[in-house]
Amino acid sequence: EDQVTQSPEALRLQEGESSSLNCSYTVSGLRGLFWYRQDPGKGPEFLFTLYSAGEEKEKERLKATLTKKESFLHITAPKPEDSATYLCAVPNFGNEKLTFGTGTRLTIIP
Amino acid sequence: DAGVIQSPRHEVTEMGQEVTLRCKPISGHNSLFWYRQTMMRGLELLIYFNNNVPIDDSGMPEDRFSAKMPNASFSTLKIQPSEPRDSAVYFCASSLEAGSADTQYFGPGTRLTVL
């Protein structure tokens, strides 16, 4: 059964303090890994898709990387507006169903 | 594009009542997904459609839940009768290409409270 584990569960950083969020996965044949951002009271907002080990994608202060067993979301010099829950998800083998992790709740303190 | 549209945004009802949640996917998208999110269980897929046809409803909790997609621009999720344990946020998502692990775009959700 496909599994996705995110760590840490919650992370508090000072503004400007860089860090990384982890997403470990176990799937039968990786067909991509998705990162989403979710603000309170809103739906998940798509950030990145990574398809193969070694791939990297960037968007503003965020950079996502992928290995054969995990993905990292690096946050460089974060700002308070980066505070949100970050979710990762992988497609199940043979269909379009996504298995989501439980998310990392990130708080950036001014 | 307006994105995925859901209505109502909030619903408060009493146990035993019928609840209908509505979703309009992004125009041109061929797959539609219904999710439920709770603090305890996170995001769970309930059912998804490809080209208006239900493909997998294994996540639907029980027979009280039903979903339809009468056309490419509209879907409903119905709970009858509703129970307090159904209280959650329900999300609809759509993706462009059916039959592949395409990016899913989520709506704003419907927060359901069953008293």
Side-chain angles (χ1 to χ4, degrees), chain A residues 11-18 37-40 60-62 75-86 105-110:
Chain A
L11 181 63
R12 291 171 62 89
L13 299 172
Q14 291 292 136
E15 184 173 358
E17 180 184 1
S18 300
R37 168 191 171 129
Q38 186 173 22
D39 292 296
E60 296 181 355
R61 295 175 293 282
L62 300 176
I75 301 175
T76 303
K79 298 181 178 182
E81 53 262 41
D82 295 321
S83 298
T85 295
Y86 291 85
R105 188 173 65 254
L106 176 67
T107 304
I108 307 300
I109 305 163

Side-chain angles (χ1 to χ4, degrees), chain A residues 3-9 20-27 30 32-36 50 64-74 86-91 99-104:
Chain A
Q3 287 190 330
V4 179
T5 304
Q6 292 189 246
S7 63
E9 187 175 314
S20 296
L21 314 182
N22 178 265
C23 172
S24 300
Y25 60 88
T26 304
V27 296
L30 183 68
L33 184 143
F34 299 90
W35 280 100
Y36 287 84
L50 302 168
T65 62
L66 182 66
T67 72
K68 290 184 178 179
K69 294 184 177 181
E70 58 193 346
S71 177
F72 292 93
L73 186 64
H74 307 277
Y86 291 85
L87 299 162
C88 68
V90 294
T99 297
F100 277 86
T102 53
T104 294

Side-chain angles (χ1 to χ4, degrees), chain B:
Chain B
D1 198 319
V4 176
I5 298 172
Q6 291 187 247
S7 65
R9 293 295 313 279
H10 303 273
E11 178 80 36
V12 180
T13 190
E14 294 190 346
M15 184 174 62
Q17 296 298 306
E18 177 180 298
V19 175
T20 300
L21 311 182
R22 297 173 176 79
C23 174
K24 176 179 170 55
I26 294 172
S27 177
H29 280 198
N30 295 306
S31 292
L32 184 139
F33 305 80
W34 281 102
Y35 289 86
R36 178 171 67 177
Q37 187 176 43
T38 62
M39 289 293 293
M40 291 294 294
R41 301 174 66 93
L43 262 174
E44 301 175 284
L45 179 68
L46 301 176
I47 185 172
Y48 77 94
F49 296 81
N50 280 349
N51 299 314
N52 313 338
V53 177
I55 302 300
D56 188 328
D57 65 355
S58 59
M60 297 285 259
E62 46 197 276
D63 292 345
R64 297 184 297 106
F65 286 69
S66 63
K68 294 182 179 179
M69 192 165 185
N71 57 63
S73 59
F74 184 66
S75 178
T76 60
L77 178 68
K78 185 178 294 186
I79 308 172
Q80 166 64 17
S82 58
E83 297 183 3
R85 60 191 167 127
D86 301 330
S87 297
V89 182
Y90 291 81
F91 289 104
C92 176
S94 69
S95 67
L96 180 61
E97 191 172 334
S100 71
D102 202 2
T103 301
Q104 295 180 22
Y105 295 90
F106 285 76
T110 295
R111 181 174 294 277
L112 174 64
T113 302
V114 183
L115 303 175

